[in-house]
Amino acid sequence: MSRREKAVQILQPGAPEAMQLVDIEVGEPGPGEIRIRHQGCGLNYIDVYHRNGAYPLPLPARLGMEGAGVIEAVGEGVTHLSVGDRAAYASQPPGAYCTARVMPARCVVRLPDAISFETGAAMMLKGLTAQYLLRRTLPQGGLQAGDFVLFHAAAGGVGLIACQWAKALGLQLIATAGSDEKCALALASGASHAINYRREDFAARVREITGAKGVKVVYDSVGLDTFEGSLNSLATFGLLVSFGNASGFAPPVQLGQLAAKGSLYVTRPTLFTHLATREATQAMADDLFSVVGSGLVKIHVEQRYALADVVQAHRELEARTTIGSGVLLV
């Protein structure tokens, strides 16, 4: 049995106007799959990359990487979810911008009753990203309480979670953001220091804050505009974690430059490598649910849109005028 549902689709990469809300047929889940009816869908910058072709998708393509809702049907072999379960996910393949979908069950987890659908839809991709960064992508010797870390775009959805989580871990997070208002928000969320990179040389300011030593790790989702400064902010044996490219792709790395700057490390991880197995997904989600459930990390849902207003949502996301997390409400 299949039913008609609504989904956001692109026929070709392009501007926000390339997205169309279309009718789709949604059938029954096959082996290893579930059907979920969404209550909310998360908005993430990776959705912009999929829409504009920076990260090419087979066409026509549906967008969206995270959502929350209720399990409607369960395919053969799925044992960790049941019909009626509240659930949430950050998962490949794209297609979360819809009223309902059939998808692989591997990356779908039960959503605790204490966490709302709206929060679940807004927190999975960004929260699991913060989890793999702060808990799994670590510099030589790891991170201990009191260590300095630098986090770019700290007033965004991932950044605000990271500010809070870093504080809970006892880390001194140095935040960068593009306005004084965003810097104030990062400080209010647990950052120890905040730098408006539009007005200050953030690498020089990092050296001042750390007594010229630099930070053990930089978490950089901005890319082109910040890459050189990120390298210049690192302590000896420091790690640059490049996990996004909001300003454009980071330039090629000259290995001799890493040697000259202090035997540095550079990595380009992705969330979905970390979510490759159901066991890893569950462990990461449990860690995220625990820190959110404890109140140490609060999810800031600052933008809400109807599914039909997805073009406006992408305009604001791409203009980088948003703060915290945004959701499409179904």
Side-chain angles (χ1 to χ4, degrees):
M1 183 184 75
S2 63
R3 64 183 72 180
R4 304 287 284 179
E5 301 289 349
K6 295 288 187 182
V8 174
Q9 178 176 278
I10 59 168
L11 297 178
Q12 294 292 331
E17 292 74 18
M19 296 182 293
Q20 300 175 325
L21 190 61
V22 299
D23 290 324
I24 61 169
E25 294 282 342
V26 176
E28 297 299 314
E33 295 181 330
I34 54 93
R35 186 175 71 233
I36 185 169
R37 177 157 300 280
H38 287 138
Q39 299 291 316
C41 316
L43 288 158
N44 296 282
Y45 213 89
I46 192 174
D47 305 340
V48 173
Y49 299 147
H50 285 151
R51 190 207 74 227
N52 66 21
Y55 294 172
L57 296 174
L59 297 169
R62 296 174 191 163
L63 303 181
M65 303 298 292
E66 70 178 340
V70 177
I71 301 297
E72 283 192 332
V74 174
E76 181 184 350
V78 176
T79 58
H80 68 289
L81 295 166
S82 302
V83 173
D85 281 350
R86 304 170 78 254
Y89 65 88
S91 178
Q92 300 274 25
Y97 290 3
C98 64
T99 51
R101 69 185 295 202
V102 169
M103 62 180 294
R106 174 173 45 81
C107 288
V108 183
V109 296
R110 288 182 179 173
L111 184 67
D113 291 341
I115 298 176
S116 71
F117 286 120
E118 181 180 283
T119 299
M123 72 184 272
M124 292 301 291
L125 190 142
K126 290 170 280 289
L128 292 172
T129 297
Q131 198 278 343
Y132 91 74
L133 292 173
L134 291 173
R135 306 283 276 168
R136 293 170 175 247
T137 313
L138 303 176
Q140 187 182 79
L143 288 171
Q144 287 79 41
D147 284 343
F148 284 101
V149 305
L150 177 62
F151 207 102
H152 291 302
V158 176
L160 289 181
I161 294 171
C163 286
Q164 299 172 77
W165 208 329
K167 183 178 181 180
L169 294 170
L171 302 174
Q172 298 191 70
L173 185 143
I174 304 171
T176 75
S179 71
D180 291 343
E181 293 76 14
K182 288 185 175 183
C183 285
L185 183 58
L187 289 169
S189 297
S192 300
H193 305 271
I195 303 167
N196 182 339
Y197 64 81
R198 297 189 192 279
R199 291 198 292 102
E200 292 189 86
D201 178 340
F202 71 81
R205 184 77 182 100
V206 164
R207 293 290 172 182
E208 291 177 12
I209 292 169
T210 61
K213 292 181 180 179
V215 297
K216 291 184 74 171
V217 59
V218 178
Y219 297 109
D220 189 341
S221 63
V222 177
L224 180 63
D225 290 352
T226 52
F227 190 80
E228 188 67 28
S230 292
L231 286 177
N232 291 336
S233 299
L234 286 168
T236 302
F237 304 118
L239 171 65
L240 171 52
V241 183
S242 176
F243 70 101
N245 26 264
S247 68
F249 289 100
V253 178
Q254 299 297 323
L255 294 182
Q257 188 180 27
L258 302 183
K261 291 180 182 294
S263 299
L264 303 181
Y265 297 79
V266 177
T267 187
R268 180 49 171 100
T270 72
L271 172 62
F272 297 107
T273 309
H274 287 273
L275 297 178
T277 67
R278 203 193 78 72
E279 292 75 17
T281 300
Q282 191 65 58
M284 291 171 65
D286 287 346
D287 195 19
L288 174 63
F289 293 153
S290 175
V291 77
V292 171
S294 72
L296 291 171
V297 170
K298 295 180 173 60
I299 307 301
H300 295 269
V301 182
E302 302 292 347
Q303 290 83 216
R304 298 169 178 83
Y305 310 88
L307 188 61
D309 294 330
V310 67
V311 170
Q312 178 192 347
H314 266 235
R315 286 185 187 134
E316 295 177 8
L317 187 63
E318 198 164 14
R320 293 164 69 178
T321 59
T322 59
I323 58 173
S325 300
V327 293
L328 298 170
L329 299 177
V330 179

